Amino acid sequence: MDPVATVLAREFPERRVATTARVPNGNHKRTAVATFADGGEVVVQTAADAAALALEAALSRAVRERTTIPVPRVLASGAVDGFGYVVAARAAGDELHERFVSLDSATQRRVARSFGVGLGQLHEAFSFGGYGRLRRSASGRLRADGGDASDSPTDRGFDAVSAADADWEAWFSAYVREGIAALPPAFDGVRSRLEEVAAAVSLPANPPSNLYPWDFRPGNALVADGRVTAVLDWGQPMAAAPGLAVAKVEHLVADWYVEDGAPLRRAFRAGYESVRPLPSVPRAYRVAAVVRSAVDSTGEVTRPGYPERTGTAAVDFHLTRLDALL
């Protein structure tokens, strides 16, 4: 049986499904919108990695509870027939990725500010004692890799991680080098300079560790009436110094869609500072933000803007940003 049909039959045995429509995006998850005969709609996501999808569902629930970020309500999650699934309420709005460039400048700034507010709230709500990819402990709480199971929980049921042997500079250097290694030959002209940045990193020995939402960006949001109505993708979360997340989200909000990102950058920072002080953002974090945004999880060069840049134009976009930083 089709995985989506299996999930719907399991979670909604009394409701008749009228239609299902696949959503053609995502590298690791399959997404479909199901419409019931009574007119209701839900979004069904399935993935072979059930544990990763369960982690995403747990984080989605927590973000919805602990921030004002509009996250669709998770209705059900679980595993069946060897795959994981999440069922969520269908959110209203158009894809912000497609709409951003058509918004007037004031609305673009309002959207940018909302991302700053959201990231500030995430950093206030989620803190950890170590760095790296998050995982769920045996209790179902979120932890950063390397944590001791005896660590005491932080507020509202999330574990703090005191990875005494964790070294932020070493973790960050490895993170940058992994991104450099994934760049295709078109980036060979800057590769040596990028490696110099990774080798010469000098960072605080023990910065705070907060949620690093991997894909917190307009491309994973919906918009209606000039406001963000949903942020949809909470997969592959990490714990890292807050300045790294600021660098990456700011790049994806302020640089991705417009030629002059300065007004959006100011709006984003003002939004963040309305929640908490802006953290230190060394140049190395900004370099890492561009490197880790230039290639997707399948090794393909990402396509900035809308209409999306492709081929040489996409590569040139990333190289221009890197040249400005190097």
Side-chain angles (χ1 to χ4, degrees):
M1 182 181 289
D2 175 75
V4 172
T6 299
V7 171
L8 293 170
R10 180 180 189 180
E11 297 294 341
F12 306 98
E14 304 301 321
R15 300 182 72 179
R16 185 170 66 85
V17 178
T19 63
T20 58
R22 300 288 182 186
V23 178
N25 55 24
N27 294 325
H28 304 291
K29 296 175 290 189
R30 297 184 66 189
T31 302
V33 176
T35 303
F36 295 105
D38 60 16
E41 289 184 314
V42 296
V43 176
V44 181
Q45 291 188 315
T46 60
D49 190 339
L53 203 54
L55 171 62
E56 182 174 351
L59 182 58
S60 296
R61 289 184 172 107
V63 172
R64 179 181 170 88
E65 174 192 348
R66 299 167 66 173
T67 75
T68 64
I69 298 170
V71 179
R73 185 162 60 95
V74 174
L75 305 175
S77 62
V80 62
D81 294 345
F83 62 86
Y85 68 87
V86 174
V87 183
R90 174 88 184 273
D94 300 323
E95 291 188 4
L96 181 55
H97 172 60
E98 297 180 3
R99 290 289 311 280
F100 193 91
V101 295
S102 65
L103 300 175
D104 62 70
S105 58
T107 303
Q108 288 181 345
R109 291 193 298 273
R110 184 166 62 244
V111 168
R113 179 184 173 86
S114 74
F115 274 91
V117 170
L119 185 61
Q121 291 181 351
L122 290 172
H123 286 167
E124 285 290 285
F126 300 93
S127 61
F128 304 91
Y131 313 105
R133 292 201 178 277
L134 295 188
R135 61 184 174 84
R136 298 181 77 188
S137 67
S139 65
R141 295 166 177 162
L142 291 185
R143 306 173 63 85
D145 282 342
D148 187 329
S150 66
D151 291 333
S152 59
T154 61
D155 61 308
R156 299 195 192 177
F158 283 81
D159 288 350
V161 179
S162 58
D165 59 345
D167 183 306
W168 168 244
E169 188 169 312
W171 182 90
F172 177 78
S173 181
Y175 174 76
V176 177
R177 291 179 187 280
E178 183 181 271
I180 295 170
L183 295 173
F187 290 82
D188 284 350
V190 297
R191 198 178 302 274
S192 62
R193 285 185 289 163
L194 292 174
E195 290 170 349
E196 288 173 5
V197 170
V201 166
S202 178
L203 301 173
N206 187 33
S209 179
N210 298 92
L211 181 65
Y212 180 13
W214 176 251
D215 237 2
F216 189 55
R217 60 186 177 90
N220 283 325
L222 302 180
V223 64
D225 298 324
R227 297 185 182 278
V228 174
T229 57
V231 179
L232 303 174
D233 193 336
W234 297 94
Q236 304 181 53
M238 291 188 286
L244 181 59
V246 167
K248 188 163 189 280
V249 178
E250 185 179 292
H251 171 58
L252 296 174
V253 170
D255 298 329
W256 209 251
Y257 295 97
V258 300
E259 292 298 322
D260 179 11
L264 300 181
R265 188 169 288 106
R266 289 192 294 268
F268 170 81
R269 293 178 182 178
Y272 189 98
E273 290 178 317
S274 73
V275 179
R276 69 199 308 264
L278 195 71
S280 172
V281 186
R283 179 179 66 118
Y285 292 1
R286 299 198 182 279
V287 171
V290 179
V291 168
R292 296 301 302 234
S293 302
V295 178
D296 67 17
S297 59
T298 68
E300 296 294 322
V301 174
T302 52
R303 302 182 297 274
Y306 194 85
E308 296 175 341
R309 296 172 176 85
T310 60
T312 301
V315 172
D316 287 346
F317 170 89
H318 300 303
L319 287 175
T320 298
R321 268 88 189 145
L322 288 172
D323 282 335
L325 292 167
L326 296 171

